[in-house]
Amino acid sequence: MSVFNQSRSTVIRLIIAGIFLVIMAQLINLQLISGKYKALAFNNAVYPKVKYPDRGIIYDRNGKAILNNTIMYDLEVTPSQIKGVDTNYLCQLLDIDTAEFKKRVITAIIKNGRYRPSIFEDLLPPLVHARLEENIYKFPGFSLVERPVRTYPFQAAAHIMGYIGEADSNIIKRSDNFYRLGDFVGRSGLEQYYERVLMGKRGVEYMIKDNKNRLVGKFENGQYDTSAVAGRNLRTYIDIEVQQLAEKLMRGKVGAVVAIEPKTGGIIAMTSGPNFDPNLLTGPEKQKNFNRLFLDVSSPLLNRAIKGQYPPGSTYKPLGALVGLDEGVITSASGIGCSGAYYGCRRPVKCTEKWGGHAANLRLAIAWSCNSFFSNAFRLAIDNPKYKNSREGLTKWHDYLSRFDLGHKTGIDLPSEDGGNVPDTADYDKEYRGSWNSCTMVTIGIGQDKLLVTPLQMANAICIVANKGYFYTPHFVDKIDGETKSDTLLNKYRRKNEVLTHISDEDYETVISGMQDVVDAGTARVARIPGINVCAKTGTAENYRMIDGVRTKLKDNSMFVCFAPRENPRIAIAVVVENAGFGATWAGPIAALMMEKYLNDTLRTERLKEVERISQADLLPGYLVREQYKQDSIRAYNWFKMTKDTSVIKRFLQRSIPKPEPAKPAGAAPVKAPVGRITRLNTEGILPVRQRITPTSNIYWA
């Protein structure tokens, strides 16, 4: 053989050997190293069924479950496994069309990829679930997954408990992919704040699939299964019966109620009106119900107890009295001659009491809520001679109110709390260009002007008075089951805040005595409870709102704060009822019933009629009807512009239309709009006649 042929033969042998080595290497890689095809084969034969844990249960102070768990089912889809699905039949079972089917599959691919399961339809109604369970083998790529769902046996505490919803892309991103599509997370209330405690830990159950995609048994006898770990339970300070009573009393009203245990800061009850049944935001109708609540202009989803900001009115006066006493500008014997107004500034401050001697000393001034006395006391504190000027005096006053935990968030264990407003020198410099004095803001002395507080802050401030200078940060949760040292969430709520303990007990007793006089002989005799010394303060705060672009003066807000018993305070309450008049008219009776129920664990028989009277009173302001009409009309028109669909407009026009304003007489001169700020003095703000809510209306008042 020639040398050339020998060389070519060697090259061919080397090429064949190289190919053989590549094949062998690939075989070794596939069988010993790479797990790709093994994983594909595993995924084709084994279905990892996610086992969602039971979320922790929340109990009241007496061990009653405020919320609990039940089981519903989600329909999940894995797009890569959809093969030969009878789409029409599946759409028929789910009551959707094929276009919606394709849209959901595409959405699942975009959000979660082809190979990962995504929720196709969540929280199936029982009838739909039963039909799918019989036929699920006909739909490769689809599976039924158990889902623990919240139930609320007392139908109460919606704003406190919050609700859970599916994790969206933002939540998944913020959690560094700890959550995935299909996971439910707390979206508000205690559900959100204690999410890491309540959520538990997911488990996985590996199931074998046959050639028809039916689950036929456990893989490897469950050797690789992991159990779901239930979330931990929360034990709260809430008294669910007092909570239910508060919600009943606030029915048909706008405002809020907060009740706190002064010695611990534990919240006994909290409600916001209008309210709603928390069961509306669970189950298959949750999204529809959420939309209805969201579009309601009365804002039932808003927790006014922590987000409503109100001038405190005369409920501020006990705090103002303590500031004046500690600053030395007034004493327990200080008095003022008041004949119905305070004339110390250019603009008189009116007082509801005109009879002589009602402000002869501090206790009387508190008992009869004398505006003249407290306007003067505020000015004396701001113009205190020991400070160089009013600027320093206002700064010192601001420091006092900060110590009463006003002007900033309290730190309650709920998300989205607002901090209210305690004005400082910067606020007045901005508005008056530095040219102001104590008369500029004299109505702060009666809880008006720029001073704004939340009902929670009002209740907490009165706890400081009851405790004579200290408080615990308001909170709901007393204990967490299985609590450890790493459960730092509760540590800050067990820390005693001694903010005003330097004020003498004598000064506190003077103010507290005045507050007891309010109930025994003053403006809040409606709050008396036999055998219990109740300390309280009524408030009637001016109430303005922008309606149709005009600043409109509405009916005053009814305000009330109290604590009892005086000797050993066990409960402190703040009540706000918007557009309801004097503090003793509505807010006071509400607080009195709650105190009696909590302290005596029952209500006297004769008081049950009062519960019914208050709960049946409809104090919802009329402007809500007008605002709802306007918002619905705007939405109907915008929908028509987008779709050219007149059906929404037709439904809207079927509802009663607000009556037009009466026509002016012929030849009447046009009214010239005034220059500057416009204030409309009308208790209901130029409103339509109150109309009954019809089934076609979007208005929802719980």
Side-chain angles (χ1 to χ4, degrees):
M1 181 181 293
S2 66
V3 175
F4 175 76
N5 288 337
Q6 288 179 353
S7 175
R8 184 168 63 179
S9 176
T10 302
V11 170
I12 292 172
R13 289 192 184 97
L14 290 173
I15 291 173
I16 293 172
I19 293 172
F20 178 77
L21 289 173
V22 169
I23 293 172
M24 289 298 295
Q26 182 64 5
L27 286 172
I28 292 170
N29 176 58
L30 292 176
Q31 295 189 37
L32 301 179
I33 300 174
S34 173
K36 177 182 177 182
Y37 291 99
K38 182 179 180 181
L40 289 174
F42 181 85
N43 290 335
N44 193 45
V46 178
Y47 172 71
K49 186 177 182 180
V50 176
K51 298 168 67 177
Y52 288 100
D54 289 340
R55 287 180 70 87
I57 298 170
I58 301 178
Y59 295 92
D60 85 336
R61 68 192 303 125
N62 298 312
K64 298 176 183 177
I66 304 172
L67 59 74
N68 218 321
N69 296 313
T70 188
I71 296 295
M72 294 189 74
Y73 288 83
D74 294 342
L75 180 63
E76 280 192 351
V77 61
T78 305
S80 65
Q81 297 177 7
I82 298 177
K83 298 174 183 177
V85 172
D86 188 344
T87 305
N88 290 328
Y89 186 35
L90 181 58
C91 290
Q92 180 183 345
L93 293 176
L94 295 174
D95 195 22
I96 61 175
D97 55 28
T98 54
E100 177 66 18
F101 176 89
K102 293 176 182 178
K103 178 182 176 182
R104 293 187 186 185
V105 173
I106 292 171
T107 301
I109 294 172
I110 293 172
K111 288 185 174 181
N112 213 21
R114 291 179 175 274
Y115 302 100
R116 298 178 67 183
S118 302
I119 299 295
F120 189 82
E121 182 157 332
D122 65 347
L123 304 179
L124 301 168
L127 183 59
V128 175
H129 166 248
R131 289 173 178 171
L132 280 171
E133 193 168 38
E134 292 177 356
N135 298 280
I136 195 66
Y137 70 92
K138 298 177 182 178
F139 310 120
F142 291 87
S143 60
L144 294 169
V145 179
E146 287 185 356
R147 170 75 67 184
V149 176
R150 293 304 211 186
T151 60
Y152 304 85
F154 295 97
Q155 300 178 353
H159 293 102
I160 301 171
M161 298 297 107
Y163 68 97
I164 58 175
E166 187 175 352
D168 57 27
S169 57
N170 290 329
I171 293 175
I172 293 171
K173 185 177 180 180
R174 288 198 301 268
S175 70
D176 292 328
N177 293 314
F178 175 80
Y179 294 110
R180 65 185 192 183
L181 286 177
D183 285 349
F184 274 34
V185 300
R187 303 300 294 268
S188 67
L190 296 179
E191 294 273 25
Q192 180 179 341
Y193 193 90
Y194 291 98
E195 166 65 17
R196 292 286 175 160
V197 174
L198 293 167
M199 62 178 291
K201 185 178 179 181
R202 291 185 297 263
V204 180
E205 184 179 10
Y206 294 99
M207 306 293 292
I208 299 174
K209 296 185 290 185
D210 65 9
N211 60 346
K212 291 185 177 180
N213 209 46
R214 291 177 294 193
L215 302 179
V216 295
K218 288 191 173 185
F219 175 71
E220 296 290 346
N221 294 319
Q223 179 180 349
Y224 301 101
D225 294 354
T226 57
S227 300
V229 179
R232 291 187 287 163
N233 303 327
L234 304 181
R235 310 285 172 168
T236 71
Y237 290 96
I238 299 169
D239 186 316
I240 194 60
E241 292 186 5
V242 177
Q243 177 71 28
Q244 286 181 301
L245 176 62
E247 294 186 12
K248 182 175 183 178
L249 295 172
M250 285 299 292
R251 188 181 300 158
K253 301 166 188 67
V254 178
V257 177
V258 179
I260 303 177
E261 186 177 71
K263 299 299 182 185
T264 63
I267 299 177
I268 299 164
M270 173 188 286
T271 189
S272 175
N275 200 4
F276 64 95
D277 182 353
N279 289 297
L280 291 173
L281 297 185
T282 187
E285 296 291 317
K286 69 180 189 305
Q287 191 59 53
K288 179 181 178 181
N289 292 330
F290 180 86
N291 292 340
R292 183 173 57 165
L293 293 168
F294 182 76
L295 296 177
D296 186 348
V297 297
S298 68
S299 303
L301 293 173
L302 177 68
N303 187 355
R304 290 175 170 85
I306 62 172
K307 296 192 72 66
Q309 301 188 49
Y310 303 94
S314 295
T315 60
Y316 159 79
K317 289 175 181 176
L319 312 187
L322 286 169
V323 172
L325 288 169
D326 194 48
E327 285 289 280
V329 295
I330 61 172
T331 67
S332 60
S334 295
I336 193 171
C338 174
S339 58
Y342 175 67
Y343 297 101
C345 296
R346 184 170 59 180
R347 182 181 61 181
V349 180
K350 293 183 180 180
C351 183
T352 55
E353 303 296 339
K354 300 179 181 179
W355 52 276
H358 71 269
N361 57 54
L362 178 55
R363 280 184 62 170
L364 284 169
I366 294 174
W368 295 103
S369 197
C370 181
N371 286 348
S372 297
F373 183 96
F374 288 98
S375 296
N376 187 61
F378 175 76
R379 288 195 64 209
L380 291 174
I382 300 302
D383 297 332
N384 194 332
K386 69 180 180 181
Y387 304 120
K388 295 179 181 178
N389 49 44
S390 297
R391 181 176 295 274
E392 286 191 10
L394 183 62
T395 300
K396 182 65 176 177
W397 171 85
H398 185 278
D399 177 64
Y400 271 105
L401 263 68
S402 295
R403 290 172 179 268
F404 276 112
D405 216 26
L406 303 180
H408 52 258
K409 298 177 182 179
T410 65
I412 186 177
D413 48 352
L414 288 180
S416 304
E417 179 191 7
D418 283 349
N421 181 61
V422 175
D424 57 13
T425 57
D427 290 318
Y428 291 104
D429 285 343
K430 183 178 180 180
E431 183 170 353
Y432 297 99
R433 299 181 180 179
S435 180
W436 51 267
N437 56 36
S438 59
C439 277
T440 306
M441 65 210 61
V442 65
T443 54
I444 284 181
I446 59 172
Q448 296 282 174
D449 200 67
K450 298 180 185 296
L451 182 60
L452 296 173
V453 299
T454 66
L456 173 65
Q457 290 175 326
M458 290 169 58
N460 189 43
I462 217 65
C463 283
I464 296 174
V465 177
N467 292 333
K468 298 181 181 178
Y470 73 87
F471 75 100
Y472 290 89
T473 301
H475 58 290
F476 289 98
V477 176
D478 178 22
K479 299 175 184 176
I480 300 172
D481 282 4
E483 189 175 345
T484 65
K485 291 183 179 180
S486 62
D487 288 321
T488 56
L489 284 174
L490 296 182
N491 288 349
K492 69 175 183 177
Y493 300 117
R494 293 165 178 165
R495 188 180 307 118
K496 188 176 183 179
N497 301 293
E498 300 186 61
V499 287
L500 290 167
T501 50
H502 69 276
I503 298 177
S504 69
D505 282 359
E506 182 182 356
D507 287 344
Y508 276 112
E509 285 296 330
T510 298
V511 172
I512 290 172
S513 295
M515 293 179 69
Q516 183 175 340
D517 292 344
V518 170
V519 178
D520 291 345
T523 59
R525 281 168 282 185
V526 295
R528 284 184 288 192
I529 303 174
I532 297 175
N533 290 326
V534 177
C535 302
K537 186 69 194 77
T538 55
T540 307
E542 290 187 344
N543 179 25
Y544 291 88
R545 184 183 179 91
M546 294 299 294
I547 298 178
D548 296 338
V550 179
R551 185 172 183 263
T552 304
K553 188 179 189 304
L554 303 174
K555 196 172 183 179
D556 293 338
N557 291 335
S558 178
M559 322 285 286
F560 196 81
V561 294
C562 60
F563 66 87
R566 173 179 176 169
E567 299 76 16
N568 179 31
R570 292 172 52 201
I571 185 170
I573 301 178
V575 182
V576 178
V577 184
E578 296 184 25
N579 300 274
F582 293 114
T585 305
W586 293 105
I590 290 172
L593 288 165
M594 290 179 60
M595 278 190 295
E596 183 174 346
K597 171 63 178 173
Y598 181 72
L599 295 174
N600 295 337
D601 199 32
T602 187
L603 291 172
R604 289 166 286 158
T605 303
E606 62 269 25
R607 297 289 281 164
L608 298 179
K609 292 182 179 179
E610 180 73 350
V611 172
E612 294 306 314
R613 181 188 74 85
I614 295 173
S615 65
Q616 292 173 14
D618 186 354
L619 303 181
L620 288 167
Y623 66 76
L624 292 175
V625 178
R626 181 183 181 90
E627 288 297 315
Q628 190 71 61
Y629 182 89
K630 287 167 57 179
Q631 293 301 318
D632 288 350
S633 64
I634 291 170
R635 280 191 291 271
Y637 178 66
N638 289 339
W639 178 258
F640 169 73
K641 283 202 305 182
M642 289 189 300
T643 65
K644 305 304 179 185
D645 179 6
T646 60
S647 61
V648 176
I649 291 181
K650 288 178 180 177
R651 287 199 304 271
F652 174 73
L653 291 176
Q654 289 173 358
R655 293 163 50 189
S656 56
I657 301 175
K659 294 181 179 180
E661 295 181 8
K664 295 182 178 64
V671 179
K672 184 177 180 181
V675 179
R677 173 185 281 187
I678 301 173
T679 300
R680 179 185 289 149
L681 301 176
N682 186 316
T683 57
E684 293 296 347
I686 319 298
L687 301 167
V689 175
R690 188 63 177 272
Q691 51 185 310
R692 187 177 297 278
I693 307 306
T694 63
T696 57
S697 171
N698 285 329
I699 304 175
Y700 176 75
W701 287 329

